[in-house]
């Protein structure tokens, strides 16, 4: 009977270690669409502040913020959907609406005045919300947030990103690019 008991304990401990290690390997790298999003034209979403210029129309030239529903409130034409559109698509849409009874041949240009924020969580000096700068990498974002803590995994991070209305999470290298609206989670290292 004493020989059976150590075998059972050994089997239980092996099962527990397998389950623990299995949990570490179930996380998959970022999907292909996740990485492709960083090289696509910038698409607008809630929180972006836009500088809209209508040539020779000072009363229409102003800054506008994309609201929570994904629209900008534009004079004369009302709510204009902006979420998921590029700057070029939105300027064409505004020009088309202004042409319908307001201006003869409107010339509309749009620039991003302020990008939506990025968010850093986990093992960083000061977790929180930070301003996004085009061309930013994970490492740049972590530096802005006060760097790594002493317990941080300094090789890979988890990034949550909204792509075509779908929220995806993937693990990427700290030298990887990020886009506006990303949430970066720095995990604690195992050893």
């Amino acid at each position: 009977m004493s020989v059976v008991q150590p075998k059972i304990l050994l089997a239980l401990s092996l099962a527990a270690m397998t389950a623990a290690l299995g949990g570490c390997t179930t996380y998959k790298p970022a999907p292909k669409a996740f990485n492709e999003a960083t090289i696509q034209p910038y698409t607008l979403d809630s929180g972006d502040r836009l500088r809209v210029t209508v040539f020779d129309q000072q009363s229409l030239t102003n800054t506008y913020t994309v609201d929570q529903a994904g629209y900008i409130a534009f004079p004369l034409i009302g709510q204009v959907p902006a979420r998921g559109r590029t700057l070029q698509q939105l300027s064409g849409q505004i020009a088309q609406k202004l042409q319908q009874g307001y201006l003869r041949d409107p010339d509309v240009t749009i620039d991003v005045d302020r990008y939506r924020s990025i968010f850093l969580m986990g093992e960083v000096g000061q977790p929180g919300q930070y301003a996004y700068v085009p061309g930013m990498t994970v490492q740049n974002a972590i530096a802005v947030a006060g760097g790594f803590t002493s317990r941080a995994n300094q090789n890979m991070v988890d990034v949550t990103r909204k792509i075509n209305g779908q929220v995806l999470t993937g693990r990427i290298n700290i030298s990887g690019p990020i886009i506006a609206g990303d949430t970066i989670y720095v995990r604690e290292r195992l050893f």
Side-chain angles (χ1 to χ4, degrees):
M1 180 118 162
S2 62
V3 173
V4 175
Q5 199 171 20
K7 285 183 178 179
I8 292 173
L9 288 174
L10 180 64
L12 287 174
S13 64
L14 282 173
M17 286 188 335
T18 304
L21 290 175
C24 294
T25 60
T26 58
Y27 202 87
K28 296 186 170 134
K32 187 177 180 183
F34 192 86
N35 294 322
E36 288 176 353
T38 61
I39 58 172
Q40 298 298 321
Y42 184 74
T43 55
L44 300 168
D45 208 343
S46 299
D48 287 327
R49 187 169 65 194
L50 309 174
R51 191 177 328 104
V52 180
T53 305
V54 182
F55 181 71
D56 212 22
Q57 297 294 321
Q58 286 302 109
S59 61
L60 298 177
T61 298
N62 206 344
T63 57
Y64 302 91
T65 301
V66 180
D67 66 15
Q68 201 62 17
Y71 291 84
I72 61 169
F74 202 82
L76 301 177
I77 58 176
Q79 298 283 14
V80 181
R83 177 177 286 142
R85 290 181 169 73
T86 64
L87 297 174
Q88 188 176 9
Q89 290 171 334
L90 183 60
S91 65
Q93 186 177 8
I94 291 172
Q96 183 182 27
K97 287 187 176 212
L98 285 173
Q99 207 167 12
Q100 297 172 357
Y102 299 106
L103 299 174
R104 201 171 302 169
D105 189 22
D107 183 10
V108 179
T109 58
I110 301 176
D111 296 311
V112 178
D113 186 51
R114 186 188 69 214
Y115 292 89
R116 58 190 178 274
S117 300
I118 56 169
F119 303 89
L120 282 102
M121 304 182 333
E123 298 298 322
V124 293
Q126 297 173 327
Q129 177 179 346
Y130 293 92
Y132 171 78
V133 178
M136 197 174 226
T137 65
V138 172
Q139 193 169 23
N140 300 140
I142 291 169
V144 169
F148 291 110
T149 65
S150 60
R151 298 182 309 270
N153 176 349
Q154 298 185 16
N155 297 323
M156 303 292 275
V157 297
D158 297 337
V159 176
T160 302
R161 179 174 293 161
K162 189 175 180 182
I163 302 169
N164 299 327
Q166 189 177 22
V167 178
L168 301 173
T169 299
R171 189 162 288 169
I172 64 171
N173 193 308
I174 64 163
S175 62
I178 60 172
I179 59 176
D182 279 358
T183 299
I184 301 165
Y185 182 76
V186 179
R187 294 187 167 278
E188 189 174 341
R189 61 184 157 84
L190 296 176
F191 299 102

